[in-house]
């Protein structure tokens, strides 16, 4: 099992607490303030879960004692049936043949969920089981969803929304075309490590399809009051980290993808890092100083820290 040493909480937790206090003070205090939304982005296996657990624990315990809801963009994936339908509707686009890329999430469900959380209305938080259908995954039965803001429950005051593409913003079509052409140019150069650029492997129309779908995610991204970005010094680390995760899943449940399937799976969403990570690194929030970027090494330890 991969052991993740948490050297991120010491920086991230105080940063969030400061932003939260500013939010509460601007709205008359903790009781009257509307829910505080935190976005957390990180490639799979970088240590998001460990950080989220510590952040949630801190906010729930005294002296803060706040009701917290933790959401994952993974729980918003399309049902298996809808994902199969999407794949069949776009048979030549390898990026949507399985869950992962923008466009494979249920945005209607996301919009309903976020609207209810903003207004402190009763809602059920969906859950997704990645081990179903031999690792293809499926949404869990509604009876297993988590009830939030129900009668008799304290209203959620902090929402933590985590995921590998949380905070990604769509580019213009011209920007996508430029990146695709640059990828082809680098690939054609002699003695180049073309594995570091994957866009050339895909048709331009496939990349533009994903980019167009990402525009709909702004309804989520624009909700964030603070953003944490766990960035990798080399995005290729995601292959190693994702292989470790799936190995642990197979060990725990007896189900999951093989190593070959994992590599193919990562290939399917790696282009999104190339297309959209640079914009996130520059900052996606309107209020300056509310985004924190931690760059980690292959061992997942923090190398650099930036406040954006």
């Amino acid at each position: 099992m991969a052991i993740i040493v948490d050297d991120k909480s010491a920086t991230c937790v105080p940063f969030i607490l400061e932003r939260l206090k500013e939010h509460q003070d601007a709205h008359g205090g903790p009781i009257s303030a509307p829910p505080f939304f935190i976005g957390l982005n990180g490639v799979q296996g970088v240590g998001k879960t460990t950080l989220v657990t510590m952040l949630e624990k801190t906010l729930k315990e005294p002296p803060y004692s706040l009701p917290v809801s933790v959401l994952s963009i993974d729980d918003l994936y399309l049902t298996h049936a809808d994902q199969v339908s999407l794949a069949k509707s776009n048979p030549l686009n390898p990026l949507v043949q399985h869950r992962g890329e923008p466009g494979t999430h249920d945005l209607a469900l996301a919009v309903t969920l976020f609207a209810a959380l903003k207004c402190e209305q009763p809602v059920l938080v969906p859950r997704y089981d990645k081990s179903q259908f031999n690792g293809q995954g499926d949404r869990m039965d509604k009876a297993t969803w988590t009830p939030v803001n129900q009668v008799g429950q304290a209203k959620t005051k902090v929402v933590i929304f985590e995921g590998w593409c949380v905070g990604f913003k769509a580019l213009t079509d011209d920007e996508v075309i430029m990146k695709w052409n640059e990828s082809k140019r680098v690939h054609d150069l002699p003695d180049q490590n073309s594995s570091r650029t994957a866009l050339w492997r895909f048709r331009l129309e496939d990349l533009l399809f994903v980019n167009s779908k990402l525009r709909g995610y702004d309804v989520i991204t624009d909700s964030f009051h603070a953003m944490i970005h766990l960035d990798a010094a080399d995005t290729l680390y995601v292959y190693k980290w994702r292989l470790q995760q799936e190995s642990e899943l197979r060990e725990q449940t007896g189900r999951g993808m093989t190593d070959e399937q994992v590599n193919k799976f990562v290939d399917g969403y790696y282009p999104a890092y190339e297309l959209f990570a640079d914009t996130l690194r520059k900052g996606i929030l309107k209020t300056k100083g509310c985004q924190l970027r931690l760059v980690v090494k292959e061992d997942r330890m923090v190398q650099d820290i930036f406040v954006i």
Side-chain angles (χ1 to χ4, degrees), residues 95 101 164 198-199 202 207 239 266-277:
L95 297 175
E101 289 279 354
W164 77 275
L199 298 183
F202 299 90
L207 300 174
Y239 283 92
V266 176
D267 286 343
Y269 62 79
Y270 192 87
Y273 296 127
E274 287 194 73
L275 287 174
F276 310 119

Side-chain angles (χ1 to χ4, degrees), residues 65-84:
S65 304
L66 293 169
V68 180
S69 289
V70 176
L71 317 177
S72 172
I73 199 168
D74 290 354
D75 288 319
L76 295 175
Y77 280 127
L78 295 169
T79 63
H80 181 259
D82 286 342
Q83 178 59 52
V84 169

Side-chain angles (χ1 to χ4, degrees), residues 16 230 265:
I16 291 299
L230 302 183
F265 181 75

Side-chain angles (χ1 to χ4, degrees), residues 24-305:
Q24 292 173 336
D25 290 348
H27 293 89
I31 296 177
S32 59
F36 183 74
F37 284 76
I38 303 165
L40 199 160
N41 175 290
V43 298
Q44 294 187 26
V46 74
K48 293 189 301 295
T49 300
T50 303
L51 174 58
V52 167
T53 299
M54 179 57 69
L55 186 55
E56 180 186 16
K57 181 176 184 291
T58 301
L59 292 168
K60 282 185 172 180
E61 293 181 348
Y64 307 102
S65 304
L66 293 169
V68 180
S69 289
V70 176
L71 317 177
S72 172
I73 199 168
D74 290 354
D75 288 319
L76 295 175
Y77 280 127
L78 295 169
T79 63
H80 181 259
D82 286 342
Q83 178 59 52
V84 169
S85 178
L86 174 66
K88 288 183 177 179
S89 299
N90 300 273
L92 298 181
N93 188 345
L95 297 175
V96 295
Q97 296 307 302
H98 53 69
R99 71 177 193 268
E101 289 279 354
T104 65
H105 300 93
D106 189 335
L107 279 186
L109 178 62
V111 169
T112 299
L113 175 60
F114 270 68
L117 290 169
K118 287 180 182 179
C119 298
E120 302 182 359
Q121 296 298 310
V123 70
L124 296 176
V125 178
R127 291 291 178 247
Y128 190 91
D129 184 355
K130 296 180 180 179
S131 67
Q132 293 296 313
F133 293 95
N134 295 317
Q136 294 178 32
D138 197 8
R139 189 176 299 162
M140 296 175 67
D141 186 271
K142 204 167 186 177
T144 68
W145 295 13
T146 304
V148 174
N149 293 337
Q150 307 293 321
V151 175
Q153 287 183 317
K155 302 296 185 182
T156 291
K157 286 297 183 180
V158 177
V159 176
I160 304 173
F161 187 60
E162 63 87 13
W164 77 275
C165 63
V166 168
F168 281 176
K169 303 277 284 186
L171 306 175
T172 65
D173 286 355
D174 286 344
E175 288 173 318
V176 174
I177 293 170
M178 180 180 68
K179 285 178 175 284
W180 183 68
N181 284 328
E182 176 62 15
S183 178
K184 290 198 301 179
R185 186 190 69 80
V186 171
H187 170 65
D188 291 339
L189 291 175
D191 301 323
Q192 290 296 313
N193 183 1
S194 60
S195 65
R196 293 181 177 273
T197 173
L199 298 183
W200 64 270
R201 301 176 187 270
F202 299 90
R203 299 183 308 163
L204 177 59
E205 52 264 49
D206 296 337
L207 300 174
L208 290 172
F209 178 86
V210 169
N211 187 64
S212 68
K213 292 297 183 181
L214 186 56
R215 295 190 177 102
Y217 289 55
D218 283 351
V219 68
I220 299 173
T221 306
D222 292 345
S223 301
F224 301 151
H225 299 99
M227 182 79 204
I228 294 176
H229 179 198
L230 302 183
D231 198 5
D234 188 334
T235 311
L236 288 174
Y237 295 159
V238 69
Y239 283 92
K240 174 182 177 180
W241 296 339
R242 191 64 182 84
L243 285 166
Q244 290 174 339
Q245 281 190 324
E246 200 68 20
S247 175
E248 292 169 12
L249 179 64
R250 291 196 303 268
E251 182 179 331
Q252 294 166 6
T253 68
R255 295 174 295 181
M257 293 184 283
T258 65
D259 287 356
E260 182 180 356
Q261 289 172 324
V262 169
N263 283 324
K264 184 176 180 181
F265 181 75
V266 176
D267 286 343
Y269 62 79
Y270 192 87
Y273 296 127
E274 287 194 73
L275 287 174
F276 310 119
D278 284 344
T279 299
L280 180 58
R281 290 175 181 128
K282 295 174 184 176
I284 50 93
L285 300 183
K286 294 180 181 179
T287 304
K288 299 302 181 184
C290 290
Q291 180 167 325
L292 182 67
R293 175 178 172 236
L294 274 60
V295 181
V296 304
K297 300 174 293 184
E298 187 173 5
D299 60 2
R300 299 182 180 86
M301 301 299 286
V302 175
Q303 173 179 295
D304 295 299
I305 300 171

